[in-house]
Amino acid sequence: MSATTTTPTARIFSSDNVAGGSPEIVEAMAAVATGPALPYGTDDTTAAVERRLSEIFERDVDVLLVSTGTAANALSLAALTPPWGSVLCHRDSHVNNDECGAPEFYTAGAKLVPLGGDDARIDPEQLRTAARHKAGDVHSVEPSVVSVTQATETGAVYTLDEIRTLGSIAEEAGLRLHMDGARFAGAVVALGCTPAELTWRAGVDLLSFGATKNGTMTADAIVVFDRSLTSELAFRAKRAGQLTSKMRFQAAQLDAYLRDDLWLRNAAHANAMAARLQAGLKAVPGVELLGAADANILFCRLPQQITEGLLAENYAFYHDRWEPGVVRFVTSFATTERDVDHLVRAVVRHAA
């Protein structure tokens, strides 16, 4: 079940997409709304975003601003995969389950090969096998790229060693490495590492740098570490309708998002609210916490009377989507301690 317009915002735990924009980002958009600016990403603000991301990732990077994470993922994979190639990803990944076939469409037919692993993290041995399976066999798709989701769809994060291991396997097999970072900031905060350590230093070629779930409104980005891919990505972005004429509005959002570490502060708050919720639910009889909750997503198993009671109080969250009794709660930069505490008290009430 997803939120409806009649549900109070404080009771929506279905997705971090329900949050609005950070005030700093709204102000930044208003600031660039007057006066002229060069179009199609040639403006000063877009250039400033690229410089800032180069600083954050400790190397020169190229940046393509896009309007959605789906565009970032699909265009990235298209640049890394021939039509006869395959994308090795986790079976629970967003690219496999929630992109409406966009990766297949933009790659002109590449095949997604789903793999297993706990907490939506790719199992290294399964990847090692899949990376070599029928490689060079003209009768099969060619293993071409590994796509990892950081943080994962269950709220877990890959450790640095896990990313390095997958990157090493990909490199040994001659595969490229893409990271779907829709919740990248949350992973950086959870691990306490640098963005560079989590990406190119571990072998990542392209990063889908998510920001919409964490404070922006219509702005995500592709961060290009292998800059030999930039020209092709630029043509693909234009062809896909992602080269915005008034790019300054997307750039202004990301400029404010990155300034004074707002992106990390927002993610730290969202993670902390999930941890607070986890601590509160842990003490409730009948509630079973499921898997890791390293970032801002929490899965648990609730008795039916609790689920029905919460729904009757207009709480919004996904339930019974994965299996009966399993629910997902998601916190955001806009979630307050009061919101979390009210939810916990409601669960306690209906557990009784």
Side-chain angles (χ1 to χ4, degrees):
M1 176 181 177
S2 58
T4 68
T5 55
T6 59
T7 300
T9 303
R11 297 190 179 188
I12 302 177
F13 289 86
S14 55
S15 171
D16 36 13
N17 286 317
V18 304
S22 289
E24 299 91 331
I25 292 169
V26 176
E27 291 171 7
M29 288 187 72
V32 298
T34 58
L38 293 174
Y40 299 110
T42 59
D43 59 282
D44 292 340
T45 309
T46 300
V49 169
E50 187 166 287
R51 287 195 300 272
R52 180 62 182 134
L53 284 170
S54 293
E55 293 170 1
I56 287 171
F57 286 99
E58 303 174 52
R59 63 175 289 174
D60 288 338
V61 298
D62 290 325
V63 179
L64 290 88
L65 304 188
V66 294
S67 59
T68 68
T70 296
N73 285 337
L75 291 172
S76 293
L77 293 175
L80 296 171
T81 319
W84 54 90
S86 65
V87 178
L88 308 181
C89 58
H90 196 278
R91 61 173 173 256
D92 294 329
S93 65
H94 203 80
V95 296
N96 189 48
N97 290 311
D98 298 285
E99 305 284 28
C100 194
E104 295 92 331
F105 177 78
Y106 280 98
T107 59
K111 184 175 183 178
L112 271 62
V113 177
L115 306 176
D118 295 337
D119 288 320
R121 292 177 289 214
I122 295 174
D123 178 82
E125 292 310 311
Q126 290 193 35
L127 176 61
R128 200 181 305 275
T129 299
R132 301 289 185 183
H133 183 65
K134 293 190 176 182
D137 184 346
V138 74
H139 298 282
S140 180
V141 289
E142 179 75 359
S144 301
V145 59
V146 180
S147 182
V148 297
T149 310
Q150 181 72 314
T152 75
E153 294 298 305
T154 66
V157 300
Y158 288 92
T159 66
L160 286 178
D161 283 343
E162 288 170 337
I163 291 291
R164 290 171 186 145
T165 296
L166 298 182
S168 177
I169 293 170
E171 183 180 18
E172 290 171 3
L175 276 59
R176 312 304 290 273
L177 183 59
H178 163 256
M179 179 174 284
D180 175 359
R183 296 181 176 92
F184 181 75
V188 171
V189 169
L191 292 170
C193 65
T194 69
E197 289 173 324
L198 196 53
T199 53
W200 64 270
R201 285 186 176 142
V204 175
D205 296 297
L206 292 177
L207 167 69
S208 296
F209 184 77
T212 306
K213 297 179 187 298
N214 194 40
T216 68
M217 292 172 282
T218 58
D220 285 348
I222 301 172
V223 179
V224 186
F225 302 112
D226 181 353
R227 300 174 78 189
S228 69
L229 299 166
T230 302
S231 178
E232 178 181 345
L233 276 165
F235 279 102
R236 287 186 178 277
K238 172 60 177 175
R239 194 165 183 258
Q242 289 294 320
L243 181 60
T244 310
S245 60
K246 295 185 179 180
M247 189 75 77
R248 58 174 153 163
F249 290 104
Q250 288 167 285
Q253 293 177 64
L254 284 168
D255 186 48
Y257 181 67
L258 300 171
R259 192 182 306 131
D260 300 325
D261 289 335
L262 176 63
W263 67 296
L264 297 176
R265 289 187 280 116
N266 276 2
H269 178 81
N271 287 6
M273 292 303 96
R276 186 182 186 92
L277 178 58
Q278 183 181 42
L281 295 181
K282 188 176 182 179
V284 182
V287 175
E288 179 188 359
L289 300 177
L290 303 174
D294 303 316
N296 66 318
I297 299 175
L298 177 65
F299 277 83
C300 59
R301 192 183 305 276
L302 296 183
Q304 187 63 25
Q305 78 269 16
I306 295 179
T307 298
E308 291 177 355
L310 292 176
L311 294 175
E313 292 187 27
N314 285 330
Y315 278 96
F317 52 92
Y318 282 109
H319 61 94
D320 299 327
R321 187 182 187 193
W322 295 270
E323 59 180 273
V326 172
V327 306
R328 186 189 79 169
F329 296 117
V330 184
T331 56
S332 77
F333 71 92
T335 304
T336 68
E337 292 183 356
R338 179 185 175 91
D339 297 338
V340 171
D341 294 345
H342 279 188
L343 172 58
V344 171
R345 286 197 289 270
V347 170
V348 170
R349 211 167 43 245
H350 293 297

